[in-house]
Amino acid sequence: MTIKEFLTDKTLTAVETVDDLIINLVCGEALTGINVDTSNIPSGTLTTRRNDFTLINNILSVDSISVNTQTTDILGSNLA
C-alpha cells in the first residue's frame, strides 16, 4: 500500500526523520514505517518528530527531505 493510499482516511500529524530521511509517519497515536533504505542508520539512532512538514501534489517534505506518496509504500503500523 502506498503512503497516498494509506492516508486516504487518516490525518497525518507528524513525520519522524533520521539524518536525511523521512522514516515514519504519525497519524494521531499511530506510528507507521515507510519503505525507505535505512541500512546506513545505526541501530538505536534516535528519530526526530517533526510537525512542520508539507504535503503538496503528492510530495511529502520537511526541510530538504521529501518522498513521493504515490510511489513509496508503508511497512506497517501500530494502531493504524
Side-chain angles (χ1 to χ4, degrees), residues 7-80:
L7 293 176
T8 299
D9 62 347
K10 295 169 184 61
T11 301
L12 184 63
T13 56
V15 297
E16 289 188 342
T17 62
V18 171
D19 298 333
D20 290 333
L21 292 174
I22 297 172
I23 64 166
N24 293 318
L25 308 176
V26 182
C27 298
E29 297 297 318
L31 182 65
T32 303
I34 64 173
N35 189 15
V36 294
D37 181 7
T38 59
S39 62
N40 291 327
I41 300 171
S43 178
T45 300
L46 297 176
T47 61
T48 302
R49 188 166 284 193
R50 305 280 303 267
N51 61 5
D52 57 337
F53 63 89
T54 59
L55 181 55
I56 301 171
N57 295 327
N58 300 311
I59 303 298
L60 176 61
S61 302
V62 61
D63 294 333
S64 62
I65 311 165
S66 63
V67 294
N68 185 325
T69 64
Q70 291 182 302
T71 58
T72 305
D73 291 328
I74 64 166
L75 295 177
S77 178
N78 71 349
L79 303 177

